[in-house]
């Protein structure tokens, strides 16, 4: 009667617990989270919550009563330090808890700048949790000089909110262009223009040599020799899957906790889902960092825990809000060799369609939900519209095909 | 508190008190209504909060903005005159008794 224990009370952990109950699981169910907060959504942290437009209670994924009503034993401030696979137990603080089945939904940890170049200085922040936003809030004020390190989605979203809030923002990206890892040059060009128009000093191909000062950074020396005064820095240089616990327990780790198609790790009683887990995909392994994946991966694992044996089929999608622009992405663009640009029906709407040969693999839709929804549906059905006709095509006829 | 009635696709009926100012989606998500996934958390980006509103309610709701209209236009199971994204419906006293139904599938 030890039941199911879930480590990590984030998006995936909550989705798993809720799914188990929705599917009729009536055994013991414990959700352990190291943070002080009940499961909440992270995307608004770099969007409306950072702007101060969304109150904290509305970040929560469920009402406080939900857990009791669904008999989910939610333990907060419970950081699991070890798994004893032989005994079938996890340990946190002075507590030991037995499990029949264990699920790891530990998420990911932001990469930090090395301490040697100032990464540990007092006003250098990463952005992953509510506590991170709270920590930077006193310095996140109009007029403050903000350095954003990294031109990925989190860095760009933070820069957008900061510019809107009246901070003086410089964003540096050491690669030749922003969004280099995740999007085509066409999408990067759009967002570069957008940020510059909104007053962000966006510099590409410019690395950080070091932050100087102490206990707080006062200035940043860039690789090109220039120096900037800074009041705070936000570092958005990617995340690492939180796999230390799995590693300690000698589970296979390969770009995240390695699972099979059903979410099982190399121990048949231990499963993993969400940002922390990699799963088989197209002959290799894939790890995704998105809300969609956290929810659907966890729900799939939940059903499998109850005996379904359904392989996980990822249908990735992602969004980003910057200023008044909505970006919606569907599919995976790895291996694209062509991008078709299609202007949308409404003013300012544009979409970028990624092709590998004649196969349509992903879409970036900018203020163009019609293109996004169409692209998503085509991807789900495995249909590739002719790239040569796409720019002029009527969306409704594409999906009717 | 405003009473909102949610009917899951399988027919299960829930009645929840939702605070004015919250969205109809938040009332569903907070209480765990099956089928309201709300992946984007309410920013009109995912359409996984699609609902059918009872017909006599449709015209009493706030108008559909272009973004919502475009998302709905391509949402699975979309029905003109009934379909809304529940994250775009802010709860007010006037919505007391609003009944929404969850479609068979979300995008
Ligand atoms: C600022 C920001 C903006 C984002 N924007 C978007 C977006 O626009 N769209 C999108 O799709 N995705 C976005 N994401 C990504 C999305 O939030 C994540 O992919 C999602 O939260 C992953 O869910 P998860 O449950 O796997 O991990 P998490 O939500 O990170 O949850 C993991 C939890 O496990 C806890 N934990 C870890 N180790 C232990 C332990 N040993 N013991 C106990 N608890 C532990 C952690 O504290 C954490 O609370 C964003 C993320 C961030 C940080
Ligand atoms: S919650 Fe995503 S569109 Fe409503």
């Amino acid at each position: 009667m030890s039941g199911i224990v879930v480590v990590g009370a984030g998006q995936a952990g909550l989705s798993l617990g809720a799914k188990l109950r929705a599917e009729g699981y009536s055994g013991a169910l414990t959700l352990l989270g190291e943070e002080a907060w009940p499961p909440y959504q992270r995307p608004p942290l770099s969007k409306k919550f950072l702007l101060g437009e969304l109150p904290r209670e509305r970040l929560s994924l469920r009402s406080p009563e939900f857990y009791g009503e669904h008999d989910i034993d939610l333990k907060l401030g419970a950081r699991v330090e070890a798994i004893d696979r032989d005994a079938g137990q996890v340990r946190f603080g002075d507590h030991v808890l037995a499990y029949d089945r264990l699920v790891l939904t530990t998420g990911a940890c932001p990469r930090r700048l090395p301490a040697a170049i100032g990464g540990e200085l007092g006003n250098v922040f990463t952005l992953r949790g509510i506590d991170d936003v709270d920590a930077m809030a006193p310095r996140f004020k109009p007029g403050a000089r903000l350095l954003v390190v990294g031109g990925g989605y989190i860095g760009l979203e933070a820069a957008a909110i900061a510019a809107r809030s009246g901070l003086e923002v410089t964003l540096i990206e050491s690669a030749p262009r922003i969004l280099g890892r995740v999007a085509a040059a066409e999408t990067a060009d759009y967002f570069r223009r957008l940020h510059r128009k909104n007053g962000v000093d966006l510099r590409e191909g410019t690395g950080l040599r070091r932050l100087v000062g102490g206990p707080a950074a006062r200035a940043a020396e860039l690789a090109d020799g220039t120096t900037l005064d800074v009041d705070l820095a936000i570092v958005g240089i990617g995340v690492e899957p939180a796999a230390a616990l799995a590693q300690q327990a000698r589970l296979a780790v390969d770009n995240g906790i390695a699972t099979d198609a059903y979410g099982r790790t190399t121990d048949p009683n231990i499963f993993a889902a969400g940002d922390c887990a990699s799963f088989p995909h197209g002959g290799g392994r894939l790890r995704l960092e998105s809300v969609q994946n956290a929810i659907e991966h966890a729900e799939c694992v939940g059903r499998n825990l109850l005996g379904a044996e359904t392989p996980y089929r990822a249908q990735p999608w992602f969004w980003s809000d910057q200023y008044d622009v909505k970006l919606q992405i569907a599919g995976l663009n790895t291996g694209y060799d062509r991008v078709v640009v299609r202007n949308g029906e409404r003013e300012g709407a544009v979409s970028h369609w990624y092709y590998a040969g004649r196969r349509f693999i992903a879409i970036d839709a900018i203020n163009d939900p019609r293109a996004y929804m169409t692209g998503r549906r085509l991807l789900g059905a495995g249909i590739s519209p002719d790239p040569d006709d796409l720019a002029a095509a009527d969306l409704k006829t594409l999906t009717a095909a | 508190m405003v009473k909102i009635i949610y009917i899951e696709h399988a027919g299960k009926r829930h009645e929840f008190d939702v605070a004015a100012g919250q969205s109809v989606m938040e009332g569903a998500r907070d209480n765990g209504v099956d089928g309201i996934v709300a992946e984007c958390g309410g920013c009109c980006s995912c359409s996984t909060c699609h609902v059918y509103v009872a017909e006599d309610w449709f015209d009493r709701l706030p108008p559909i903005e272009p973004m919502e209209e475009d998302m709905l236009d391509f949402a699975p199971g979309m029905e003109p005159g009934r379909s809304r994204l529940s994250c775009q419906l802010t709860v007010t006293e006037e919505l007391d008794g609003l009944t929404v139904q969850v479609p068979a599938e979300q995008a």
Side-chain angles (χ1 to χ4, degrees), chain A residues 8 11-12 34-35 42 47 80 106 128 275 290-291 318-319:
Chain A
Q11 179 71 67
E34 67 182 333
E35 291 182 79
R42 291 178 200 281
K47 307 179 182 84
V80 173
T106 46
R128 181 76 193 177
D275 279 14
S290 72
V291 169
F318 190 84
W319 79 98

Side-chain angles (χ1 to χ4, degrees), chain B residues 25 38 40-42 44-47 49 85 87:
Chain B
M25 176 281 281
C40 78
C44 198
S45 295
C46 70
S47 92
C49 66
L85 293 179
C87 69

Side-chain angles (χ1 to χ4, degrees), chain A residues 317 319 326 328, chain B residues 23 25-26 29 36-50 68 71 84-88:
Chain A
W317 87 271
W319 79 98
K326 176 184 297 303
Q328 293 162 292
Chain B
S23 69
M25 176 281 281
E26 285 174 303
R29 183 193 61 193
I36 301 290
V37 196
E39 287 179 351
C40 78
C43 59
C44 198
S45 295
C46 70
S47 92
T48 66
C49 66
H50 177 199
E68 182 186 352
M71 291 291 291
R84 289 298 305 252
L85 293 179
S86 56
C87 69
Q88 301 302 303

Side-chain angles (χ1 to χ4, degrees), chain A residues 7-13 32-35 40-47 78-81 105-108 127-129 154 157 242 245 273-276 288-292 294 317-321:
Chain A
V7 181
Q11 179 71 67
L32 302 170
E34 67 182 333
E35 291 182 79
Y40 60 92
Q41 2 165 19
R42 291 178 200 281
L45 297 181
S46 54
K47 307 179 182 84
R79 180 184 170 74
V80 173
E81 280 125 24
T105 51
T106 46
L127 189 45
R128 181 76 193 177
I154 290 196
E157 287 177 2
L245 202 55
D275 279 14
C276 68
L288 294 171
E289 296 158 12
S290 72
V291 169
Q292 172 276 329
W317 87 271
F318 190 84
W319 79 98
S320 177
D321 291 318

Side-chain angles (χ1 to χ4, degrees), chain A residues 2-17 20 28-35 37 39 42 72-85 88-93 95-109 128 241-249 251 257 263 265 269-277 294 298 301 305:
Chain A
S2 317
I4 298 173
V5 173
V6 183
V7 181
Q11 179 71 67
L14 176 271
S15 301
L16 179 92
L20 286 171
L29 179 54
T30 312
L31 184 52
L32 302 170
E34 67 182 333
E35 291 182 79
W37 312 99
R42 291 178 200 281
I72 297 174
D73 190 2
L74 174 65
K75 292 192 199 311
L76 300 175
R79 180 184 170 74
V80 173
E81 280 125 24
I83 304 169
D84 181 342
R85 287 165 53 189
Q89 291 174 339
V90 294
R91 182 168 54 76
F92 54 98
H95 307 269
V96 168
L97 184 67
Y99 64 82
D100 293 322
R101 297 292 184 80
L102 181 67
V103 190
L104 303 174
T105 51
T106 46
C109 315
R128 181 76 193 177
L245 202 55
Q247 214 139 21
Q248 261 169 23
L251 300 172
I257 305 170
T265 68
N269 290 323
I270 306 182
F271 292 69
D275 279 14
C276 68
V301 168
L305 281 166

